[in-house]
Amino acid sequence: MGDSWIGKRVPKRDAAAKTTGTIIYGHDLRRPGMLHGKILRSPFPFAKIIRINTERAAAVPGVKAILTGEDVPDTRIGLGRDNPILNRHVVRRVGDEVAAVAATSMDAALEAISLIDVTYEPLPAILDASEALKAEALLIHDTRTSNLHDKRSYVHGDPDAALLEADVVVEDTFLIPYVAPTPMEPSVVIAEFDADGELTVYTTNQAPYLMQYELGQAVEMPPGRIRIKQTAIGGAFGRGLDVYPFEAVAVLLAQATRQPVRIAYDRQEEFLAAPLRQPVKVTIKTGALKDGTLWVRDARALLDIGAYASLGTVIPVVMAQVVGSLYRVPHARYEADLVYTNNPVTGAMRGFGGPQATLFVEAQMDRLAVALGMDPLSFRLQNANRPDETTPQGLKISTCGLKECLEMVGSMRDKHKEPSPPGKRRGIGFAATLNVGGGARMHRSDGSGVIVKVDDFGQVTITTGSTEIGQGTDVVLSQIVAETLGVSISAVRFVNGDTGVAPWDVGAHASRTTFVAGNAALQAAEEARRQILETAAELLKVDTGELVMRDGSVYVRGRPELGLPLDKIMRARHFRKDGQIVQAQGWYDPPNEQVGSDMVGNLSATYSFGAQAIEVEVDTETGQVKVLRVRTANDVGRVINPMLVEGQLEGGIHMGLGYALSETLFVEGGQVQNNSFREYGIFTAFDMPPIEIQNLETHDPLGPFGAKGVGEIGVAPVAPAVLNAIYDAVGIRLNRIPARPEMVLDALETLQSNDRTSR
Amino acid sequence: MSNHPITLTVNKSPYSLSVAAHHTLLDVLRDDLGLTGTNEGCRMGDCGACTVHLNQLRVPSCLVLAVNADGADVQTIEGLAGETTGEHHPLQEAFINRGALQCGFCTPGMIMSAAAILDEIPERPLSEAAIREALAGNLCRCTGYAKIIEAILEVANG
């Protein structure tokens, strides 16, 4: 065999286009005759719309269409089917869509928007989830009987009895704030009708086939007449998993004007209108037996989903998975109230509930270990998940390297710790994570289709429904196909992002693309290989079993002088009587289960595991927490491209460190107060510590070449590991993030005054 | 809104343009000249995605009014590759080979910033700490910067 493509540091296929600035993002795309759309948004968190006057706006030169709620279908968009395209009678959040304009220039659109006169009658806004549940609270959606959107409940074992049986129980209430996915490219969409009335939508959405259907419902068009084309996508992180009103508005403006219409957010609008990671208030008890056996977890969460449900409605599934199955825990309960408020809309963001739940579960693992008088790492090791066992929740764990990962990061403590400088104290904290690694059946299908075509010149084209958001689907699928067909990576072309051409895929979420689309690509490539070998065997007059594919040719095993280049085989197969081409398809829908309302079942075909050790330095004068180093060890199955796996981990850790220490959206009066990068606080290159990555390569029996998912695994353990490290350094337990200096100082002062009192 | 005549040299080509008083250099590059490699991430000078070289100094082009750039020499990501050969700049090559990009939206600004840093800081070997500090005005949401720093170190120090 020639050089293998698996396990190689192969650059992304779009790397040259991205480094030279030639790639076309959604924000770069312009269509002939294109108009600029802009949405007028509510300044109030809750108000009646009394009247809207568009006369002055209509007089602005260049304005082609103005839409209000009266002009658009009275449908509801989004996973919760509760979000009007343009609100007619009431607005439910700051930023709610009220009217929209299409104009020949952005300047004209902005001017027109500023000239739409809306008379509102403000209502008492409900800005707190527990207030929303009170009997006297106004109904945010008057079609419902209460502001409780949903109640989710998971249980295994007997948590009540187990809490009594446990020798040690810790209890805490954690407050976890809003954060924003805030990818570098803000949201954008272009809608365009052709002469036959077919709609093309250019988008940065992450789930184009779901969008096709959802958008069709919203604008009352047959989905078959809608073609979704993804541009290059400047990051997503869950932001683009649902369909939001601006996308339907663009379609309706295009319909009204018969011209292409673009709606592009700026950064402020992105912070204001794009979905956020859900804030959580949770009270959790964790109990253990005195021999160190983890015995029970019992969590009650209040989830403020904001004005519209969107993906907030399914986030509890992943939270329940962490509560029920991270470490072996014989008794567990997770109950969540999902509540409508007049706060911002929440949705998916990398980890999908995992970062929140891992924070409170892993913070308590540490506290429980201390209460037991055990070493936090030993306590984790004793209770770690094992390979080939099914958790009480129904998760069928096959490969599992959690124990090894914990040991790998645990050795960080063995290295000589430098003494802390004066006024500063250092500490190391640990946390682990369990994440879906073999797709996640959030929809009825978790499938992915791939077509592999080999042309007359031996060039291979992969056409896939999978979505590329920067993670590297382009190169991973190329490596899988190149490996299977024995061709160079440069002989493989990657095509995706067009629902009119590529087979179905549920979207880029749940760390699923390498596993699911990778298996589909492998299947298609194997079928293409079979067809090629069939023809080669005929031409070389040998059995197919004697043939090998390598270096773009087919050889007879052991006889390198007997070989045929791929292009020759393809032409021989094609240009003859009853000739055939090679166009093979793969369809893979993983063997996993869609969980019911009880949140029990094998959501993923396999699971990925990871552990992190983080060393921090706490400045006891200022409360500043500096991260000195991060070590991460992960079982993500076989690594197809180490460079990309590292990139996913480094990026996830970056996002996790922001979550732990700096990122938060201050929402007051329903209004995001810090809607700029400067005030929001994502980590810069200067803030980032060195990251040491160790991969434990298991070989998953179902994964393509043994691979499992990696996309979300870096992020979840970071914040709890940081909180645990702060405790190790200075002895304070924080129940909130981000651990900003003022919070750390307050806790240090409380600790000192308690010490004085106890003395 | 009034328009004003300006001249610009962009990637060694001269342009005479009429620009609105409130439009930025970024607007002109992207909308008037079709140079969409320079990306708009925030329009407030916070993220660095729109970094270009203005008279050999790196600037966020969203903070420069186009009228104030009258007469300036501008280099964008499109002008960084070898002028005659079309070959990638060593930084582009290093970013590709080290996997220093994911979604790529920050990448042109990162590379333009990095190219300027190589001139701004003459000391060699260039230290990692110096690069990290100098690059703090360029945000990336995907990579955690690790591979970006590696790529720049490789080009600076060989």
Side-chain angles (χ1 to χ4, degrees):
Chain A
M1 289 292 282
D3 280 349
S4 172
W5 289 104
I6 303 301
K8 288 273 158 58
R9 306 177 79 84
V10 188
K12 273 175 62 53
R13 308 304 306 281
D14 59 11
K18 284 178 171 172
T19 49
T20 53
T22 49
I23 200 157
I24 302 297
Y25 293 101
H27 273 252
D28 299 336
L29 188 65
R30 300 288 185 273
R31 299 290 301 164
M34 189 186 82
L35 302 174
H36 297 266
K38 190 76 194 163
I39 292 171
L40 178 67
R41 298 180 179 280
S42 164
F44 295 104
F46 202 17
K48 284 184 184 162
I49 299 173
I50 305 300
R51 97 183 113 315
I52 303 177
N53 185 335
T54 60
E55 272 172 39
R56 292 197 301 150
V60 173
V63 168
K64 297 285 185 178
I66 302 175
L67 299 178
T68 67
E70 301 296 333
D71 309 314
V72 304
D74 191 19
T75 51
R76 298 291 180 273
I77 200 168
L79 199 67
R81 287 291 160 84
D82 55 4
N83 200 349
I85 297 170
L86 291 171
N87 294 278
R88 294 184 187 197
H89 308 299
V90 64
V91 288
R92 298 177 184 83
R93 61 165 183 145
V94 174
D96 233 356
E97 295 79 2
V98 174
V101 169
T104 50
S105 71
M106 185 50 100
D107 288 337
L110 287 168
E111 193 186 349
I113 279 294
S114 74
L115 295 175
I116 296 175
D117 300 303
V118 186
T119 310
Y120 296 98
E121 182 187 308
L123 297 166
I126 301 165
L127 304 168
D128 179 274
S130 31
E131 293 294 317
L133 293 176
K134 291 187 175 161
E136 68 272 22
L138 289 180
L139 287 175
I140 290 167
H141 293 273
D142 61 9
T143 51
R144 304 181 64 98
T145 52
S146 105
N147 290 323
L148 182 68
H149 167 76
D150 197 6
K151 217 176 168 59
R152 302 297 290 265
S153 178
Y154 168 79
V155 66
H156 74 245
D158 185 347
D160 292 318
L163 281 166
L164 296 173
E165 289 156 13
D167 295 305
V168 179
V169 175
V170 293
E171 178 174 351
D172 293 287
T173 296
F174 292 89
L175 289 174
I176 304 175
Y178 287 101
V179 290
T182 196
M184 293 310 294
E185 184 188 27
S187 302
V188 59
V189 66
I190 297 175
E192 175 174 355
F193 286 88
D194 72 9
D196 294 322
E198 181 167 304
L199 170 64
T200 299
V201 177
Y202 298 90
T203 178
T204 53
N205 190 286
Q206 292 169 254
Y209 296 83
L210 302 182
M211 183 189 203
Q212 189 184 355
Y213 175 75
E214 293 294 332
L215 205 52
Q217 299 301 303
V219 302
E220 298 180 328
M221 261 188 83
R225 297 281 285 158
I226 303 175
R227 184 171 178 180
I228 307 291
K229 286 190 182 179
Q230 291 166 318
T231 58
I233 299 174
F237 312 114
R239 183 264 320 262
L241 276 174
D242 203 354
V243 182
Y244 293 96
F246 79 101
E247 290 157 328
V249 168
V251 172
L252 296 166
L253 285 170
Q255 205 167 46
T257 58
R258 308 310 293 178
Q259 282 176 267
V261 173
R262 168 186 192 254
I263 295 180
Y265 286 9
D266 60 18
R267 185 58 53 188
Q268 285 67 41
E269 200 169 14
E270 181 75 18
F271 276 115
L272 173 71
L276 308 177
R277 185 186 280 157
Q278 212 161 62
V280 180
K281 182 180 180 189
V282 64
T283 298
I284 176 169
K285 294 176 194 166
T286 308
L289 306 181
K290 59 174 178 271
D291 67 357
T293 305
L294 177 63
W295 197 242
V296 55
R297 270 190 204 123
D298 187 13
R300 267 204 68 82
L302 187 60
L303 306 178
D304 179 345
I305 62 170
Y308 304 104
S310 188
L311 281 145
T313 183
V314 280
I315 298 276
V317 172
V318 179
M319 292 192 182
Q321 186 171 287
V322 177
V323 172
S325 296
L326 175 57
Y327 302 104
R328 292 163 137 187
V329 55
H331 309 274
R333 178 163 54 205
Y334 172 75
E335 291 181 343
D337 287 346
L338 286 73
V339 184
Y340 282 120
T341 66
N342 295 117
N343 282 321
V345 173
T346 64
M349 179 173 163
R350 198 180 205 171
F352 209 82
Q356 297 100 312
T358 307
L359 173 72
F360 54 77
V361 162
E362 273 291 18
Q364 284 219 318
M365 286 296 284
D366 231 59
R367 296 168 195 201
L368 201 53
V370 171
L372 285 162
M374 278 184 79
D375 169 64
L377 188 66
S378 313
F379 178 54
R380 287 182 171 86
L381 281 166
Q382 182 177 335
N383 293 289
N385 303 92
R386 311 281 161 87
D388 301 315
E389 66 180 21
T390 300
T391 73
Q393 200 163 15
L395 274 56
K396 291 179 183 150
I397 294 172
S398 51
T399 48
C400 171
L402 179 57
K403 193 166 161 287
E404 293 83 351
C405 289
L406 282 164
E407 281 162 351
M408 283 157 106
V409 300
S411 61
M412 190 197 252
R413 288 192 302 198
D414 306 339
K415 272 198 198 166
H416 176 65
K417 232 178 19 172
E418 283 176 46
S420 308
K424 293 179 181 174
R425 306 257 296 274
R426 291 179 175 178
I428 293 177
F430 299 100
T433 183
L434 164 158
N435 201 81
V436 291
R441 191 168 296 269
M442 304 304 280
H443 304 272
R444 280 175 297 168
S445 172
D446 192 19
S448 182
V450 169
I451 296 167
V452 169
K453 180 183 87 166
V454 188
D455 70 16
D456 299 335
F457 314 104
Q459 182 78 22
V460 181
T461 302
I462 301 171
T463 306
T464 167
S466 65
T467 290
E468 168 57 25
I469 50 177
Q471 82 278 41
T473 311
D474 55 345
V475 63
V476 167
L477 298 197
S478 298
Q479 285 174 266
I480 287 171
V481 171
E483 177 78 8
T484 309
L485 297 180
V487 298
S488 157
I489 207 96
S490 59
V492 180
R493 180 187 294 122
F494 178 83
V495 176
N496 80 328
D498 186 344
T499 61
V501 171
W504 198 89
D505 178 283
V506 76
H509 78 103
S511 309
R512 69 184 284 281
T513 303
T514 293
F515 187 92
V516 183
N519 266 321
L522 181 59
Q523 216 181 77
E526 282 173 344
E527 174 56 20
R529 179 189 161 91
R530 193 193 63 74
Q531 294 176 15
I532 293 162
L533 292 184
E534 179 187 83
T535 303
E538 255 177 66
L539 297 171
L540 292 163
K541 300 185 173 52
V542 294
D543 281 345
T544 53
E546 295 177 57
L547 296 173
V548 287
M549 293 186 82
R550 68 157 196 265
D551 306 332
S553 294
V554 176
Y555 295 97
V556 179
R557 197 183 308 275
R559 297 175 64 189
E561 77 286 0
L562 262 187
L564 283 172
L566 200 50
D567 60 335
K568 218 165 185 171
I569 300 169
M570 298 310 302
R571 290 197 292 268
R573 180 179 170 89
H574 182 180
F575 300 111
R576 62 179 176 184
K577 188 169 178 299
D578 301 324
Q580 293 284 323
I581 60 169
V582 171
Q583 183 158 285
Q585 64 160 0
W587 168 256
Y588 183 78
D589 194 8
N592 51 18
E593 299 166 3
Q594 192 170 15
V595 304
S597 58
D598 59 1
M599 299 188 279
V600 173
N602 193 35
L603 184 63
S604 185
T606 186
Y607 298 86
S608 297
F609 294 87
Q612 287 179 15
I614 295 182
E615 184 175 15
V616 302
E617 181 177 271
V618 182
D619 185 324
T620 52
E621 297 283 312
T622 65
Q624 187 80 36
V625 177
K626 185 179 174 194
V627 180
L628 299 178
R629 55 192 175 130
V630 176
R631 182 186 288 184
T632 182
N634 299 277
D635 162 18
V636 293
R638 181 146 171 223
V639 172
I640 289 180
N641 187 325
M643 198 158 78
L644 267 72
V645 165
E646 289 159 16
Q648 286 302 303
L649 293 167
E650 287 156 354
I653 288 166
H654 169 260
M655 216 171 252
L657 287 171
Y659 201 38
L661 291 167
S662 63
E663 291 180 34
T664 187
L665 281 173
F666 298 101
V667 178
E668 280 169 31
Q671 168 85 54
V672 172
Q673 303 292 314
N674 51 333
N675 61 2
S676 69
F677 276 132
R678 189 169 310 177
E679 299 161 307
Y680 176 65
I682 80 173
F683 265 43
T684 69
F686 184 69
D687 304 318
M688 278 302 287
I691 298 170
E692 203 184 315
I693 295 172
Q694 293 176 311
N695 290 316
L696 172 83
E697 289 201 57
T698 56
H699 188 102
D700 197 84
L702 294 176
F705 294 98
K708 303 196 270 191
V710 64
E712 296 160 297
I713 200 166
V715 66
V718 178
V722 167
L723 292 191
N724 295 338
I726 292 172
Y727 173 79
D728 189 46
V730 292
I732 58 171
R733 290 294 189 188
L734 300 175
N735 288 356
R736 300 176 73 158
I737 51 168
R740 290 189 175 229
E742 59 272 23
M743 198 193 300
V744 173
L745 268 190
D746 277 353
L748 281 171
E749 274 164 27
T750 309
L751 182 75
Q752 279 157 7
S753 63
N754 288 351
D755 279 358
R756 276 194 295 275
T757 323
S758 59
R759 246 182 269 132
Chain B
M1 277 168 274
S2 60
N3 271 33
H4 302 265
I6 63 164
T7 62
L8 281 179
T9 302
V10 181
N11 301 330
K12 309 239 160 109
S13 299
Y15 295 93
S16 293
L17 301 157
S18 172
V19 299
H22 64 292
H23 282 186
T24 64
L25 178 58
L26 175 63
D27 296 330
V28 168
L29 291 172
R30 290 180 56 82
D31 297 335
D32 298 327
L33 304 184
L35 295 171
T36 55
T38 304
N39 289 326
E40 179 180 318
C42 72
R43 241 186 138 69
M44 297 178 78
D46 291 345
C47 79
C50 66
T51 302
V52 300
H53 296 176
L54 180 75
N55 297 328
Q56 284 76 54
L57 295 174
R58 56 176 169 148
V59 294
S61 57
C62 71
L63 291 189
V64 179
L65 283 173
V67 288
N68 285 346
D70 188 15
D73 179 41
V74 178
Q75 189 184 33
T76 71
I77 189 70
E78 288 91 346
L80 195 67
E83 294 152 47
T84 48
T85 61
E87 278 174 15
H88 293 153
H89 185 278
L91 280 166
Q92 290 169 321
E93 208 54 41
F95 269 61
I96 294 169
N97 292 327
R98 293 209 169 246
L101 58 100
Q102 288 178 32
C103 87
F105 201 77
C106 74
T107 307
M110 270 305 165
I111 290 177
M112 293 310 286
S113 235
I117 290 167
L118 295 180
D119 289 336
E120 285 165 22
I121 313 176
E123 290 83 26
R124 294 294 180 276
L126 184 54
S127 77
E128 179 176 332
I131 297 177
R132 285 185 178 276
E133 187 169 357
L135 208 61
N138 289 79
L139 300 179
C140 173
R141 193 59 162 162
C142 296
T143 65
Y145 310 100
K147 298 198 171 350
I148 293 172
I149 303 294
E150 279 174 28
I152 300 171
L153 278 172
E154 177 191 297
V155 174
N157 301 333

